[in-house]
Amino acid sequence: MIPRIGSRVAAAVATLALGGVGAVAAQAPASASSFTATYLCNVPGAGTETSTINASLTASPNPATSGSTVGFALDVANISAPAPTAINSWNATAVIEGSGAEISAFKATASGGSVPAGQPISNVHMTGSWTPSASGTDKFLIGDITINMDSASFGNVTVSCTPSGSRPTAGTLTVR
């Protein structure tokens, strides 16, 4: 049983779910598309917390060749609230949804180790891949984000975040 988590812990867990995510893309250079989105995060014991994220999505290579794998890196930044309780380890998943030349959905994932109480989550890389099968232009939106964490104080906690309101285009990919 998870005890009631106060708003400071809820904010920190939401920060973990959405904060400090960096990206490194391999292969050919590609520019990142920046966007801002609002999420509603369901924090066990605390209810729903609103979180605004500033992020970027990079597809590499871009342009891509139909039938070849494209790597994606999701970089979420500008969430500065520190975790008020120690976190032993965590893993995160974001759903990336594509439309345009074809409809697609795939996941970007990340995991990390301990985070001391009072410190923000940093140096986190969410990465995923997708293989397009049709030529044209695809646009991508970020969907649900889920974070599973092992908190020193609360045990295993899962925070589920869903987009709130209209979602901006996170990035585009040209497929030849």
Side-chain angles (χ1 to χ4, degrees):
M1 179 76 113
I2 299 173
R4 175 149 178 82
I5 302 173
S7 62
R8 284 189 60 207
V9 173
V13 171
T15 296
L16 175 60
L18 298 173
V21 178
V24 174
Q27 301 177 3
S31 62
S33 297
S34 296
F35 64 95
T36 299
T38 302
Y39 279 79
L40 296 176
C41 296
N42 183 6
V43 182
T48 302
E49 296 287 329
T50 301
S51 185
T52 300
I53 64 168
N54 296 304
S56 63
L57 182 68
T58 304
S60 185
N62 191 1
T65 303
S66 179
S68 296
T69 301
V70 177
F72 286 82
L74 179 61
D75 176 11
V76 180
N78 298 330
I79 305 291
S80 59
T85 184
I87 297 168
N88 297 326
S89 63
W90 57 269
N91 62 67
T93 302
V95 175
I96 301 175
E97 301 166 355
S99 64
E102 62 186 292
I103 304 297
S104 63
F106 58 94
K107 295 179 180 179
T109 60
S111 62
S114 65
V115 178
Q119 297 297 312
I121 305 301
S122 61
N123 299 318
V124 180
H125 305 285
M126 295 185 83
T127 60
S129 63
W130 173 64
T131 303
S133 60
S135 297
T137 301
D138 293 293
K139 73 174 187 173
F140 298 93
L141 308 174
I142 308 303
D144 293 349
I145 298 173
T146 303
I147 185 102
N148 298 302
M149 67 176 217
D150 177 28
S151 166
S153 299
F154 302 108
N156 293 321
V157 177
T158 299
V159 176
S160 300
C161 300
T162 56
S164 176
S166 63
R167 294 184 290 164
T169 298
T172 60
L173 174 67
T174 301
V175 180
R176 297 180 184 162

